[in-house]
Amino acid sequence: PRDAMSDVRVSGLTIYPVKSCAGIDVDAVTVTETGFMYDRAWMLVESRKPKARSEEEARVPSESAETDGGTPPAPPPPPKKRRAKPRASVFVTQRTEPKLALVRVKLPSEVLSPSWDGILPPDAAMTITAPGMPTALEVPLAPASPLPRCKVGVWEWEGLAGDEGSEVNH
């Protein structure tokens, strides 16, 4: 019996550094615990406002209307203000924004080389371009300091991700 895998051939490799944007054809990839290095390592998200509490959650139990001596009952205390829970920002996909396919991403050639030693130059950056962008956007591959974390969601999954900052966000 012939092994079914003996006929399998890889005809091409493509990574998508920014989820839902154009991919990069590569000759080789570095495989990490979570998949191909730099594949879907970034994504665009839409921020969501905190979820409003329901009326039921906002109600405060009323005190009994009966008092001794026939005096009117005291007004109920004001509802306790609770901060709304932050909701995850949700990823943006080509399914809802087809123009994302026009967003081009470029990584430094050394990180795509099969002989890459894994050491990033201090200025290594991903370059993002798109029709109508006045200048290319440079996103450092190794930020100088840890990125602040924000809650994000992809389909059913929610977790924390690094926020690249206001310059990248606009």
Side-chain angles (χ1 to χ4, degrees):
R2 201 168 136 167
D3 180 8
M5 292 302 290
S6 65
D7 291 335
V8 174
R9 302 283 184 267
V10 176
S11 61
L13 292 168
T14 303
I15 61 171
Y16 299 85
V18 180
K19 185 170 178 50
S20 293
C21 294
I24 301 171
D25 293 332
V26 295
D27 295 326
V29 292
T30 300
V31 180
T32 69
E33 288 180 10
T34 58
F36 296 162
M37 184 174 282
Y38 296 119
D39 186 49
R40 295 171 184 92
W42 290 267
M43 66 179 162
L44 303 172
V45 297
E46 285 182 332
S47 62
R48 289 192 168 171
K49 294 182 179 176
K51 188 175 184 178
R53 295 185 325 171
S54 69
E55 273 187 45
E56 194 170 295
E57 289 177 306
R59 279 192 210 131
V60 173
S62 62
E63 294 181 15
S64 169
E66 295 178 32
T67 61
D68 53 352
T71 58
K80 292 180 182 177
K81 291 187 178 183
R82 293 189 340 218
R83 283 196 286 163
K85 289 183 178 179
R87 295 176 69 198
S89 295
V90 129
F91 84 105
V92 181
T93 174
Q94 278 188 31
R95 293 178 190 187
T96 57
E97 298 292 337
K99 288 185 177 182
L100 286 175
L102 303 176
V103 177
R104 301 279 174 230
V105 179
K106 183 179 177 188
L107 290 171
S109 58
E110 62 266 23
V111 304
L112 300 175
S113 169
S115 60
W116 181 45
D117 60 8
I119 299 171
L120 285 172
D123 61 344
M126 171 175 58
T127 304
I128 301 174
T129 59
M133 279 180 68
T135 59
L137 177 64
E138 298 284 324
V139 179
L141 295 183
S145 60
L147 298 173
R149 297 292 185 200
C150 60
K151 192 173 181 182
V152 297
V154 177
W155 303 121
E156 313 308 322
W157 176 87
E158 283 190 0
L160 295 176
D163 184 338
E164 292 286 352
S166 59
E167 183 181 331
V168 173
N169 291 334
H170 293 104

